[in-house]
Amino acid sequence: MKKRIVVALGGNAILTTDPSAKGQQKTLAQTAYYLADLIEIGHELIITHGNGPQVGNLLLQQQLGATEQNPAMPIDTAVAMTQGSIGYWLENALVDELEKRNISKNVATILTQVVVSETDPAFQAPSKPIGPFLSESEMESEKKQTSATFVEDSGRGFRKVVPSPKPINIVEYPVIEKLVENGIITIAGGGGGIPVVRKNDSYQGIEAVIDKDFASEKIAALVHADMLVILTGVAHVSINFNQPNQTDLTNVTVSDIEKYIDEDQFAPGSMLPKVQAAITFLKENTNGKAVITSLENIKNLLSEETGTIITA
């Protein structure tokens, strides 16, 4: 049975060890191979993706080369720029993979604006990691040159953090929905979307980065998706992670996940926003299903053979 599925790609589906354009294009070709399995079955697909390393790297490049005549762009514009570059690479990778399989499908990338509130408390407490992982000495050097805030991220080093407000609405969701209804594979919400606020009857960019899982959930709810699939680097959500009693979760309910959140089982900025996004989606669509798993397991997720499957 055909389903409308929003697939949120994790960073490992775009960038591994080679941050060059060629390296990221190679990784996305592998990603397209897995995504094409869902398309081949006949499902309607909306693909979202992160951009944390890319937008952070772009901001660093701009800062290093900034002059009065050639100033660095603000974060919202950098998000738009990386939406375009990653969408361009992914769109071409999908077209190439579908042609190999003799599947006649159009692919479109939609520059996506996400409405947030200026009064969101996130603006007073930056929390979203962007850019490369830094050693402690590199981080201290960066802090001397900027007023940025840094945090230790998952034991892999220090990263810059910026405000991460919650999405209120997706400006282009009617366009996304119409594209999908017409059989077009749609790439949207890149990097969590371009953060905008409504001012003086127009949308204006604001300095922030929206979590791509929350933006993906908002898109899924607005286009009435049957399933939200959040792809990450592990096959399952786990409790007691990295401990001798680690347990992988398979089939769980919203109430189960909420209990584990109360127990602080999920790391903020890592697995926590993924399970929170899944909960929000299922509360808005009680007949839907949310799955958190790895890219490599995507072919089996519809047969419920793998991953963490969450239902209302």
Side-chain angles (χ1 to χ4, degrees):
M1 181 180 175
K2 180 172 73 174
K3 293 182 182 296
R4 181 171 296 180
I5 304 173
V6 172
V7 178
L9 299 179
N12 62 317
I14 306 168
L15 175 64
T16 51
T17 56
D18 183 355
S20 69
K22 185 174 289 186
Q24 293 183 74
Q25 286 170 311
K26 182 179 179 181
T27 302
L28 282 167
Q30 298 169 339
T31 298
Y33 173 82
Y34 290 108
L35 293 175
D37 288 337
L38 294 179
I39 299 165
E40 195 166 29
I41 296 169
H43 298 297
E44 297 177 344
L45 209 59
I46 299 164
I47 304 161
T48 66
H49 60 81
N51 72 341
Q54 293 86 355
V55 75
N57 290 343
L58 177 59
L59 289 168
L60 287 175
Q61 291 163 4
Q62 292 201 351
Q63 288 166 7
L64 289 172
T67 65
E68 187 175 342
Q69 293 73 31
N70 184 29
M73 295 293 104
I75 292 176
D76 60 296
T77 303
V79 171
M81 293 164 74
T82 51
Q83 264 197 30
S85 60
I86 296 170
Y88 154 62
W89 294 331
L90 179 55
E91 183 175 325
N92 285 343
L94 279 168
V95 168
D96 290 346
E97 182 59 36
L98 294 175
E99 285 182 352
K100 290 176 187 175
R101 303 188 189 202
N102 295 313
I103 298 172
S104 180
K105 282 278 188 181
N106 291 315
V107 184
T109 302
I110 298 298
L111 199 65
T112 311
Q113 300 174 90
V114 178
V115 182
V116 300
S117 169
E118 276 190 292
T119 61
D120 190 304
F123 287 105
Q124 306 304 317
S127 63
K128 181 66 177 174
I130 64 170
F133 290 92
L134 304 175
S135 67
E136 187 168 2
S137 61
E138 289 172 328
M139 181 266 294
E140 292 295 342
S141 177
E142 286 284 333
K143 284 178 71 173
K144 291 177 183 177
Q145 303 174 45
T146 176
S147 58
T149 302
F150 293 84
V151 298
E152 195 280 327
D153 186 2
S154 306
R156 293 178 287 175
F158 294 86
R159 294 177 78 189
K160 178 181 176 179
V161 289
V162 296
S164 184
K166 291 291 194 302
I168 297 172
N169 193 24
I170 310 295
V171 177
E172 291 79 13
Y173 91 84
V175 180
I176 296 168
E177 189 166 36
K178 191 165 287 292
L179 286 170
V180 175
E181 287 171 352
N182 284 276
I184 298 171
I185 301 154
T186 305
I187 301 164
I194 303 161
V196 296
V197 294
R198 188 72 174 168
K199 269 187 175 181
N200 302 322
D201 297 323
S202 68
Y203 293 111
Q204 300 179 18
I206 193 166
E207 293 266 300
V209 171
I210 300 165
D211 188 284
K212 73 102 174 44
D213 297 314
F214 290 125
S216 302
E217 180 283 318
K218 183 59 69 175
I219 291 172
L222 288 170
V223 303
H224 308 290
D226 301 297
M227 186 180 296
L228 171 64
V229 178
I230 299 175
L231 299 179
T232 186
V234 293
H236 296 85
V237 179
S238 302
I239 56 173
N240 305 313
F241 184 66
N242 270 346
Q243 299 178 36
N245 61 338
Q246 175 176 321
T247 302
D248 294 337
L249 304 178
T250 51
N251 290 277
V252 292
T253 65
V254 166
S255 60
D256 294 329
I257 289 291
E258 288 179 328
K259 180 184 71 173
Y260 295 134
I261 289 174
D262 290 341
E263 296 173 359
D264 294 326
Q265 288 285 353
F266 309 121
S270 180
M271 191 58 76
L272 181 59
K274 293 172 175 50
V275 297
Q276 289 175 327
I279 289 170
T280 303
F281 172 67
L282 293 168
K283 286 185 175 180
E284 294 179 309
N285 182 1
T286 55
N287 293 320
K289 183 184 296 182
V291 181
I292 303 175
T293 191
S294 64
L295 177 66
E296 295 76 14
N297 287 330
I298 198 168
K299 190 170 186 176
N300 298 320
L301 67 87
L302 295 175
S303 57
E304 302 190 3
E305 293 177 7
T306 190
T308 298
I309 299 164
I310 309 169
T311 55

